[in-house]
Amino acid sequence: MLFSKYRFLTTALALLTLLGCSPSGENQSPAGGALLGETAQQGAFLAYEHSVGIRLPVEQVEPRLAAVRDACSSQRFGQCDLLAIEQSQGAYQAASITVRIAPAGVGPLVGFAGEGGELQSRHTRAEDLAQAVSDTEQQRQRLQRQQQTLLQYQARGDLSVSDMLALARELAEVEVQLAGAAQQSAQQQRRLTTNLLTLSFSTEGEPIGRLARIGEAASGMLDNATEGATEALKLLGYGIPFVIILFPLALLVRWLWRKASRARHSA
């Protein structure tokens, strides 16, 4: 009996020790690491898009943006294509980067971008491309049938020169449309096999000092003054031709008025 109780206590202590030593999943994953890429199920035509907002210290926004860009360009987390970068300067810096990446690389890239920061928001949506894919496939099949028909006509030996030229023009137009349909189908498949990911970086607090804020305000005032002077010079340039025309007319009206006044006094 005592041996059974001792064995039970030993087993319980071992389990508690293992639970205390094992790291939790929350500590293992970086900020935003829980966001995973999405892949459509068999037979579905869903194009997934992710938007992630990350808050960082102001001095880390620009370096982190450059690091994410380099990670995408070097294919660090798998296939990745850079689509857009936006960055604003001022009292509160903000930046965003949009990439198209393989689903397996979404989570690691988000975790890398949010390392040392705070995940503010994340949003995932899917666009159903079933109708668009079906329309493109039907268009491609129709154009292929039309191309085969034109090739059969072109192989006939009883066609005139004008008919051959007309067939050549029709065939060239069909081939151009086929190339466009193939390009559209490739773009659709790219959207289906990859995820669109937008990472937005922002800051909070007072990132710059009072003197810097005064300097920024003075710079803005100088810019406004320069813009106002430019607009004034433009208006002056527009008005000069009217002055050149109206001044002689004003002199002529004055001369006619004085002449009419003298005539009335003489009468």
Side-chain angles (χ1 to χ4, degrees), residues 72 80-85 97-101 187 190 195-198:
C72 180
C80 182
D81 296 319
L82 180 64
L83 300 182
I85 289 181
I97 180 170
T98 302
V99 300
R100 184 166 290 282
I101 187 170
Q187 179 65 20
R190 181 168 174 262
N195 288 180
L196 186 69
L197 175 62
T198 299

Side-chain angles (χ1 to χ4, degrees), residues 19 32 43 88 144 158-159 174 177 181 184 208 210 227 236 243:
L19 289 175
S88 61
Q144 285 181 343
D158 56 346
L159 296 178
V174 170
Q177 294 180 10
Q184 187 175 1
I208 58 176
R210 294 183 177 88
E227 185 177 357
L236 181 60
V243 172

Side-chain angles (χ1 to χ4, degrees), residues 21-267:
C21 294
S22 62
S24 63
E26 183 180 357
N27 294 331
Q28 284 180 328
S29 60
L35 179 64
L36 301 178
E38 299 288 345
T39 303
Q41 297 181 357
Q42 185 70 25
F45 299 91
L46 300 178
Y48 288 94
E49 301 178 4
H50 310 280
S51 300
V52 180
I54 300 172
R55 184 172 62 192
L56 290 172
V58 63
E59 66 275 3
Q60 294 185 13
V61 172
E62 190 170 353
R64 187 63 53 84
L65 180 67
V68 172
R69 178 179 182 177
D70 293 340
C72 180
S73 300
S74 62
Q75 312 292 311
R76 178 175 176 180
F77 301 109
Q79 178 188 355
C80 182
D81 296 319
L82 180 64
L83 300 182
I85 289 181
E86 295 183 6
Q87 189 173 7
S88 61
Q89 299 290 341
Y92 299 96
Q93 292 190 15
S96 67
I97 180 170
T98 302
V99 300
R100 184 166 290 282
I101 187 170
V106 172
L109 183 60
V110 172
F112 174 74
E115 185 177 355
E118 181 181 351
L119 182 65
Q120 287 185 307
S121 63
R122 61 186 181 189
H123 176 70
T124 299
R125 63 179 294 269
E127 182 180 356
D128 192 356
L129 300 181
Q131 187 62 45
V133 172
S134 177
D135 293 342
T136 302
E137 180 62 20
Q138 290 179 6
Q139 181 186 14
R140 187 184 65 83
Q141 293 178 2
R142 178 180 59 81
L143 290 172
Q144 285 181 343
R145 290 194 299 268
Q146 186 176 357
Q147 183 186 37
Q148 292 297 325
T149 302
L150 292 175
L151 289 175
Q152 291 174 2
Y153 277 116
Q154 196 177 37
R156 294 174 54 178
D158 56 346
L159 296 178
S160 63
V161 177
S162 59
D163 292 337
M164 292 291 292
L165 292 176
L167 280 174
R169 286 194 298 268
E170 290 289 336
L171 191 58
E173 184 177 353
V174 170
E175 289 176 351
V176 170
Q177 294 180 10
L178 269 174
Q183 184 178 2
Q184 187 175 1
S185 177
Q187 179 65 20
Q188 291 171 351
Q189 291 300 319
R190 181 168 174 262
R191 294 184 60 188
L192 293 172
T193 56
T194 59
N195 288 180
L196 186 69
L197 175 62
T198 299
L199 299 169
S200 301
F201 302 98
S202 61
T203 61
E204 283 189 1
E206 189 176 356
I208 58 176
R210 294 183 177 88
L211 293 179
R213 292 171 62 187
I214 293 174
E216 184 180 355
S219 176
M221 183 175 63
L222 182 60
D223 293 338
N224 293 334
T226 303
E227 185 177 357
T230 303
E231 294 297 330
L233 290 175
K234 288 182 180 179
L235 291 176
L236 181 60
Y238 290 141
I240 288 176
F242 293 99
V243 172
I244 294 175
I245 296 174
L246 292 177
F247 183 70
L249 289 177
L251 292 178
L252 179 60
V253 170
R254 182 172 178 271
W255 178 77
L256 292 174
W257 177 260
R258 295 182 63 181
K259 185 176 181 180
S261 300
R262 290 195 193 100
R264 284 198 303 268
H265 286 306
S266 299

